[in-house]
Amino acid sequence: MVKDSQFNQVIQTAIEIAIKAAIEINDEEWRSEALAEVIIAMAEAGQFNQAMQMAKTIEKEEQRSWALKEISIAMAKASQFDQAMQAAKMIEDGFWRSSALAGIAEAMAKEKLTKEATRVFEQAMQVARTIEEQEELSLTIEEITIAMAKARQFEQAMQAANAIEDAFWRSRALAGIAEAMAKEKLTKE
């Protein structure tokens, strides 16, 4: 059986090799994508400080925002909520920031931090409302409402989902809420 220290060393070696390979990519778009994926792996391995530093080196804003979103959610899942919120604040793009805040709020709710989760869900909705492109706005609110439902904030989730103008995204949000409600019912039985 592999010991934790050996396993951590294998993870570290794999990450180092992946970073070197990503840096060698000539195309800026692909390099940013590869670095974001390595950084997300770092965050999932609990290497938050290193992941944050590496995220700053990503040239493309979308990939940098995606990486920061995933770092912030990984931090929140590790109950590092203040650091998670700081990482989310670094995200310039409204879609990715809203998504990060929703993930943080969902993690807070799982830790029974209901008031804090509600406050962060409200922040996610405020940021979402700054998104001008209608389809991206609808997608963002759909994602937030499903996270709300997973956090057992069903009434708020339903209210937000019903406010989505686009019928496609509204139906997806409501279906996601129904799924979360069904899973909640199954766990109570």
Side-chain angles (χ1 to χ4, degrees), residues 78-137:
S79 299
Q80 295 185 14
F81 299 115
D82 290 338
Q83 297 92 324
M85 292 297 290
Q86 289 301 315
K89 285 180 183 176
M90 293 174 62
I91 303 170
E92 296 175 25
D93 181 84
F95 168 75
W96 293 110
R97 183 182 291 177
S98 292
S99 181
L101 291 169
I104 293 167
E106 187 178 341
M108 287 175 160
K110 286 181 181 175
E111 294 290 328
K112 310 269 188 268
L113 301 170
T114 308
K115 288 181 184 177
E116 294 86 344
T118 299
R119 182 179 47 79
V120 176
F121 275 128
E122 289 169 0
Q123 288 178 13
M125 290 298 288
Q126 286 175 336
V127 172
R129 289 185 190 103
T130 67
I131 297 171
E132 294 178 10
E133 201 277 309
Q134 192 60 44
E135 186 171 350
E136 189 171 305
L137 170 63

Side-chain angles (χ1 to χ4, degrees), residues 135-150:
E135 186 171 350
E136 189 171 305
L137 170 63
S138 297
L139 167 64
T140 304
I141 294 175
E142 179 235 2
E143 187 172 315
I144 295 168
T145 60
I146 292 171
M148 285 176 167
K150 288 178 180 178

Side-chain angles (χ1 to χ4, degrees), residues 12-14 18 29 47 55 70 107 112 121 125 131 146-147 151-152 159 175:
Q12 186 59 38
T13 301
E29 184 92 23
Q47 298 178 10
E70 295 296 335
K112 310 269 188 268
F121 275 128
M125 290 298 288
I131 297 171
I146 292 171
R152 295 185 207 94
Q159 189 175 29

